């Protein structure tokens, strides 16, 4: 496959696009590259996921660039910052990896979804504009503000005697950056893999600059201390420059610290304005999707978990439903996790208990098409297949169902609705305490359905299968 991909890229003038393989484990790709010279010629980088700072002999033997092509995935508190500080250095020190890629950069999804707040920073309230620049961002700055793509790591043993690590990088034009970290075991665990025990103690480290760096006289100093006992961290502060005397200098290192020492004078910690304060999701929310030239394809605050819901211009409708939201994926994708067979988009506040969800719906798929509105939806992401809630479905064959799950297996009520495809109808789902009821076009269709669990969750819309369907005038209260 890699050979075919290389051929196709080259044929279309994309010689500059390089190939990383296999974005999983070091083996068997490393072993195969050593056996297959043609494959060796087309793969530029060996990428591994969550390597735990280690590589394997075969990967080193290939002489390829080694990358940690997915890493971190860790809650972005101080421990997450410690994880990130440790692996940014030790992926190179222990595993010769010259790139470490964090999943994910910005946690911009509802926090109660899987991997809540597992981004380097958090911006999960578009309705309020609130965001938080978390500690991992400033840990990142220790490396990225003082080294750029194209810089080279110096080949030194980066292990410190008292535990911790350092790396040194140069642009090849006289600039030098050294990054030191002293993260302790319990304060730097990543989500995976398990971290073997090690110890770090306060220490004095002496660095010797040789060759072209012997003439360096001063280094700028940036410092972070992750305060676990005090609960008071100091992040990315500029300290007094260090004087280099005859090519050497010493540093007193405490535990859970990061230092950057650099010839560059360009570092800065922005004095950004305070973001707006956090707010819960509006308790009364409406969207009619009436946007003629949307700045992006998806409606705000909806979080698609399976399928894709996009703004749509329904040119065939003469009336109130020209601008709608449409589910547009009509074939099951090649899935990574255990995606659902149904499509679903979440919205609102996970803590909601009582709610009324109203939406105009339009089934496009004949015979076995169907759509739903839902409340108290309890999950998504990699667990979307087992999502529970209260789901009010109507189908193109004129029937309806109320189910306690997205899969539609836990049937709470069913019957005839008279609904058909290619016509607009209004669904209303009302959940109060342990009871739910449903209206069709403003008239009661079913009532007094007992709800035992979940006790809270989001509102949602979705479809029975990967099918076209439209939604309009969404309202949740």
């Amino acid at each position: 496959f890699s050979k075919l991909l290389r051929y196709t890229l080259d044929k279309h003038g994309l010689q500059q696009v390089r190939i990383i393989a296999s974005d999983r484990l070091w083996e068997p790709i490393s072993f195969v590259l050593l056996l297959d010279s043609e494959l060796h010629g087309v793969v530029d980088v060996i990428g591994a996921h969550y390597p735990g700072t280690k590589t394997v002999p075969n990967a080193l033997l290939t002489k390829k660039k080694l990358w940690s092509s997915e890493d971190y995935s860790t809650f972005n508190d101080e421990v997450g910052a410690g994880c990130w500080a440790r692996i940014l250095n030790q992926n190179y020190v222990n595993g010769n990896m010259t790139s470490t890629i964090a999943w994910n950069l910005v946690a911009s999804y509802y926090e109660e979804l899987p991997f809540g707040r597992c981004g380097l920073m958090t911006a999960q309230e578009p309705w309020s504009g609130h965001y938080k620049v978390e500690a991992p961002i400033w840990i990142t700055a220790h490396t990225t503000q003082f080294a750029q793509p194209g810089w080279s790591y110096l080949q030194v043993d980066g292990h410190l005697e008292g535990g911790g690590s350092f790396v040194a990088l140069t642009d090849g034009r006289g600039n030098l950056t050294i990054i030191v970290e002293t993260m302790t075991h319990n304060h730097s665990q990543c989500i995976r893999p398990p971290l073997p025990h090690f110890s770090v103690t306060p220490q004095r480290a002496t660095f010797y600059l040789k060759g072209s760096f012997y003439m360096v006289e001063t280094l700028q100093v940036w410092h972070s201390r992750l305060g676990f006992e005090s609960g008071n961290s100091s992040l990315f502060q500029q300290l007094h420059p260090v004087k280099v005397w005859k090519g050497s200098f010493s540093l007193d290192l405490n535990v859970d610290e990061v230092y950057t020492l650099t010839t560059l004078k360009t570092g800065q910690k922005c004095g950004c304005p305070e973001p707006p304060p956090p707010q819960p999701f509006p308790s009364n929310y409406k969207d009619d999707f009436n946007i003629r030239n949307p700045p992006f394809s998806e409606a705000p605050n909806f979080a698609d978990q399976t399928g894709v819901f996009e703004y749509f211009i329904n040119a065939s409708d003469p009336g109130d439903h020209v601008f709608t939201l449409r589910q547009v994926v009509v074939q099951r994708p090649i899935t990574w996790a255990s995606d659902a067979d149904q499509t679903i988009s979440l919205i609102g506040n996970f803590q909601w208990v009582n709610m009324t969800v109203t939406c105009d719906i339009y089934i496009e798929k004949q015979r076995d098409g169907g759509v739903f509105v839902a409340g108290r939806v309890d999950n998504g992401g990699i667990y979307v297949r087992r999502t529970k809630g209260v789901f009010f479905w109507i189908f193109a064959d004129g029937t309806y169902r109320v189910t306690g799950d997205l899969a539609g297996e836990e049937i709470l009520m069913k019957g005839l609705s008279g609904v058909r495809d290619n016509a607009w109808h209004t669904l209303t789902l009302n959940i109060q305490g342990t009871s739910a009821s449903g209206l069709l076009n403003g008239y009661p269709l079913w009532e007094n359905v007992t709800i035992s669990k979940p006790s809270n969750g989001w509102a949602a819309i979705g479809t029975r299968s990967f099918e076209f369907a439209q939604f309009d005038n969404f309202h949740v209260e």
Side-chain angles (χ1 to χ4, degrees), residues 86-372:
R86 180 176 54 78
I87 65 176
L88 276 178
N89 266 20
Q90 294 191 25
N91 275 346
Y92 179 74
V93 171
N94 298 334
N96 222 40
M97 288 164 261
T98 55
S99 174
T100 297
I101 297 174
W103 186 95
N104 60 70
L105 296 183
V106 187
S108 289
Y109 44 91
Y110 293 114
E111 187 169 329
E112 295 85 358
L113 284 168
F115 299 98
R117 265 186 62 186
C118 287
L120 297 182
M121 63 175 277
T122 307
Q124 59 190 20
E125 290 188 14
W127 54 89
S128 72
H130 178 73
Y131 63 89
K132 191 165 181 211
V133 181
E134 312 279 3
I137 285 286
W138 298 116
I139 296 300
T140 309
H142 275 281
T143 296
T144 57
Q145 284 202 22
F146 308 107
Q148 297 296 323
W151 284 49
S152 299
Y153 282 95
L154 298 175
Q155 293 185 3
V156 294
D157 179 0
H159 296 98
L160 294 168
E161 282 182 18
S165 68
F166 72 94
V167 294
L169 296 120
T170 182
D171 61 355
R173 296 197 287 268
N175 282 308
L176 173 68
T177 292
I178 300 167
I179 303 133
V180 184
E181 62 80 24
T182 57
M183 295 301 136
T184 55
H185 178 275
N186 290 357
H187 294 160
S188 69
Q189 295 186 49
C190 303
I191 195 169
R192 68 179 77 89
L195 184 59
H197 184 73
F198 61 87
S199 62
V200 181
T201 53
Q203 59 192 300
R204 176 153 226 210
T206 302
F207 295 83
Y208 299 93
L209 307 185
K210 297 182 177 175
S212 59
F213 301 121
Y214 183 80
M215 306 307 291
V216 170
E217 295 179 355
T218 59
L219 291 167
Q220 307 300 310
V221 183
W222 292 81
H223 172 252
S224 292
R225 184 194 70 255
L226 297 174
F228 292 93
E229 271 64 51
S230 66
N232 194 7
S233 293
S234 167
L235 296 170
F236 202 62
Q237 300 297 320
Q238 189 165 18
L239 306 183
H240 289 298
V242 161
K243 290 270 184 278
V244 183
W245 176 248
K246 290 191 175 176
S248 83
F249 65 92
S250 295
L251 273 184
D252 288 314
L253 303 172
N254 213 324
V255 298
D256 296 326
E257 291 189 318
V258 183
Y259 281 91
T260 299
L261 304 111
T262 180
T263 55
L264 298 181
K265 295 179 177 173
T266 49
Q268 57 179 319
K269 186 171 185 183
C270 77
C272 304
E274 276 294 299
Q279 302 275 351
F281 191 91
S283 58
N284 190 344
Y285 181 81
K286 292 180 180 176
D287 195 337
D288 61 11
F289 312 116
N290 288 357
I291 300 184
R292 189 170 292 276
N293 294 304
F296 35 77
S297 65
E298 295 173 278
N301 306 322
F302 282 91
D304 301 350
Q305 303 302 304
T306 312
V308 174
F309 295 73
E310 292 187 344
Y311 284 126
F312 181 64
I313 297 179
N314 186 5
S316 64
D317 191 288
D320 302 330
H321 299 290
V322 177
F323 299 99
T324 66
L325 192 69
R326 191 189 202 199
Q327 201 296 118
V328 295
V329 177
V330 294
Q331 182 180 342
R332 183 179 176 82
I334 297 170
T335 63
W336 163 73
S338 185
D339 297 5
D341 297 315
Q342 306 76 16
T343 75
I344 180 170
S345 190
L346 307 172
I347 191 166
N349 186 329
F350 182 73
Q351 308 307 332
W352 280 347
V353 176
N354 299 327
M355 66 187 87
T356 302
V357 186
T358 300
C359 193
D360 298 342
I361 59 88
Y362 187 87
I363 302 169
E364 295 187 53
K365 188 181 184 187
Q366 295 178 348
R367 288 185 302 283
D368 56 352
V371 303
F372 68 79

Side-chain angles (χ1 to χ4, degrees), residues 47-67:
H49 286 196
Y50 307 96
T53 79
K54 306 274 199 304
T55 187
V56 297
N58 277 345
L60 296 168
L61 285 173
T62 66
K63 299 283 199 284
K64 293 291 182 188
K65 287 180 182 176
L66 307 182
W67 286 10

